[in-house]
Amino acid sequence: MLISKTYKIFIAGHSGMVGSAIKRSLIKKGYTNLICPSKKELNLLNFLEVENWFRNNNPDIVILAAAKVGGIFSNSEYPADFILENLKIQNNVIENSWKFNVKRFLFLGSSCIYPKLAPQPLKEEYLLTGSLEKTNESYATAKIAGIKLCSALKTQYGFDAISLMPTNLYGKGDNYHPSNSHVLPSMMRKFYEAKIKGLSKVNCWGSGLPKREFLFVDDLAEAAIFTIENISIDNEILYDEKNNYCGILNVGVGLDISIKELAKMISSIIDYHGEIVWDLSKPDGTPRKLLDISKLKHLGWVAKTSLKKGIKLTLHNYIEELRTKSIRV
C-alpha cells in the first residue's frame, strides 16, 4: 500500500517520549496531516469518547504509542494500574481503528513480552513459550493482549496491523523520576545530581550484573515510519512456520551492556568521579534481554545511533529540561 504524505495520521500518545519522537520524524519527512489531540480533548481510557473521536476524525493511519509505563519499582507496586490502564487504552484504540476502517495500524509493544528465561537473543517466535518476569508481568500481559488482538483482527477481518517490539528506550522526553523511571534515565539523574551536589557516592539498584540493550528513541521513530511506508502485512516474514499471522517485529541494536558497564559509561560522560554502590536488596529483573533483530534488518532497517552518542544527546536534553522547567537538582 502506498502511503500519502497527506494521509491523516493519528499519533496516540504524541506527548510521550515515543510519540513525540515519531511526531518529530513524521514532520521531518514531510507528513503534513498529523492529528494529535490533547488528553483533555480525548481520554483514551473512555471507549465512548474514543469511538466518537474516530467517527468525527476518520484517520487513515493510527500509531499507538500511548501507554502507562514505568520501571521495576512502579511496575511492582502498581500491577493492577498497569494492566487495567494499558488494556483499556489498547482495546479502545485498536477496536475503533478496525471499526472505522483505518488503512494501516502500528502497535508499539515492549521486549518485556518475552519469557524471562527464553534463549538469547530473543526471537519473535519465543512469545508465550515460558513464564514472564514477575516485576513487569502486568505490563507485559497487557502488551501481549494488544499483539494478539491485532493479530486476531488481521486473521479474521484483514485488519492492516503490525506490532513493533522495541528494546529498552531512552532519549528526549524521558521520565527521570528517581523511583518510577527506567534504569538509564534514573542513573542519568542520580549521577548528574551527585556531580552538582558534590556527593561522594551514588547508590544503584541490584547487582549491576544483568545485561540490557538500549535503543535511542529517535531510532525507534525511524523504524516506525519505515514499517508504515515499506512493510506489508502480506510479507511472509510476519507469519510463523504454520502460516499463522503474528505481525511482530523486534526493534533494537543487536548489542547489550551490563548495568554496571552502563553506570560507568553514564558517570564518565557526566564526569562524575565518586563511588558507585550497588544495593543488593533491590531486584535485578530479567538476567539478560537482547533482541534478535534479524527480521527487521532483513527488511532493510538498522539503528544509527551508538549508545554513547545517544546518552550524550539525552544528557543535553535533560540539562535543557532542568533549565527551562527550573527543576531543582
Side-chain angles (χ1 to χ4, degrees):
M1 184 184 78
L2 293 175
I3 303 299
S4 169
K5 293 292 176 70
T6 60
Y7 273 177
K8 288 192 285 187
I9 302 178
F10 170 35
I11 308 171
H14 73 279
S15 62
M17 178 177 69
V18 174
S20 60
I22 291 173
K23 181 180 178 181
R24 289 194 302 271
S25 291
L26 285 168
I27 292 171
K28 185 177 179 180
K29 289 180 179 294
Y31 287 88
T32 59
N33 201 355
L34 308 184
I35 313 174
C36 303
S38 68
K39 290 182 180 179
K40 288 185 177 179
E41 294 172 318
L42 177 60
N43 178 9
L44 296 177
L45 295 168
N46 186 304
F47 182 85
L48 291 178
E49 275 195 38
V50 176
E51 183 181 43
N52 288 331
W53 186 90
F54 268 83
R55 182 178 292 109
N56 293 330
N57 291 275
N58 196 29
D60 297 300
I61 296 173
V62 173
I63 301 170
L64 180 49
K68 180 177 178 61
V69 298
I72 287 179
F73 174 81
S74 54
N75 272 273
S76 300
E77 290 292 308
Y78 311 108
D81 293 348
F82 273 85
I83 193 167
L84 272 174
E85 290 189 30
N86 283 304
L87 284 173
K88 287 179 181 178
I89 291 169
Q90 293 167 190
N91 289 346
N92 293 347
V93 177
I94 295 171
E95 182 177 351
N96 281 295
S97 294
W98 161 68
K99 182 178 178 180
F100 289 95
N101 301 310
V102 163
K103 293 181 175 68
R104 180 151 287 179
F105 184 91
L106 191 66
F107 178 70
L108 294 172
S110 167
S111 59
C112 70
I113 64 166
Y114 296 113
K116 177 178 180 177
L117 301 178
Q120 303 286 324
L122 297 162
K123 297 178 181 291
E124 288 88 346
E125 53 263 36
Y126 293 165
L127 181 64
L128 295 176
T129 59
S131 300
L132 298 167
E133 160 60 40
K134 285 294 182 183
T135 56
N136 57 22
E137 185 178 52
S138 289
Y139 178 76
T141 299
K143 287 296 182 181
I144 292 169
I147 294 167
K148 290 300 183 181
L149 177 55
C150 287
S151 178
L153 287 170
K154 181 340 184 144
T155 300
Q156 187 171 344
Y157 297 108
F159 183 50
D160 192 326
I162 294 176
S163 300
L164 294 185
M165 297 302 114
T167 190
N168 300 281
L169 298 169
Y170 69 99
K172 183 176 181 180
D174 210 337
N175 170 24
Y176 300 97
H177 190 278
S179 60
N180 293 337
S181 60
H182 291 108
V183 59
L184 194 153
S186 175
M187 282 186 174
M188 184 171 290
R189 174 170 178 158
K190 285 180 179 180
F191 286 115
Y192 186 77
E193 288 185 350
K195 178 185 177 181
I196 297 300
K197 295 178 180 178
L199 302 180
S200 61
K201 64 180 181 179
V202 169
N203 291 306
C204 294
W205 277 33
S207 67
L209 297 178
K211 302 186 78 173
R212 293 290 182 270
E213 177 184 16
F214 294 94
L215 177 68
F216 192 50
V217 71
D218 290 74
D219 283 348
L220 171 62
E222 293 293 323
I225 298 169
F226 175 86
T227 302
I228 291 170
E229 291 179 337
N230 297 285
I231 301 175
S232 165
I233 56 171
D234 296 323
N235 194 306
E236 62 183 14
I237 209 166
L238 299 175
Y239 290 76
D240 64 18
E241 66 281 358
K242 297 179 181 179
N243 203 34
N244 296 314
Y245 183 75
C246 300
I248 310 172
L249 288 172
N250 287 337
V251 190
V253 296
L255 297 169
D256 58 4
I257 183 174
S258 76
I259 300 303
K260 276 191 176 180
E261 291 174 306
L262 177 67
K264 290 178 182 178
M265 182 182 291
I266 293 174
S267 62
S268 175
I269 291 171
I270 291 176
D271 198 29
Y272 173 75
H273 301 287
E275 181 184 5
I276 302 174
V277 179
W278 295 94
D279 184 354
L280 299 180
S281 69
K282 298 296 191 295
D284 272 337
T286 303
R288 191 184 186 198
K289 196 165 61 173
L290 176 66
L291 292 181
D292 183 318
I293 57 171
S294 58
K295 286 188 176 182
L296 193 54
K297 189 175 182 179
H298 175 76
L299 290 166
W301 185 88
V302 291
K304 299 175 183 177
T305 310
S306 70
L307 182 57
K308 186 172 288 187
K309 179 181 178 181
I311 289 174
K312 288 179 179 178
L313 290 169
T314 305
L315 177 63
H316 174 78
N317 288 322
Y318 173 62
I319 294 171
E320 184 65 16
E321 283 189 37
L322 291 175
R323 186 186 68 80
T324 57
K325 296 180 181 179
S326 301
I327 301 173
R328 293 180 62 188
V329 298

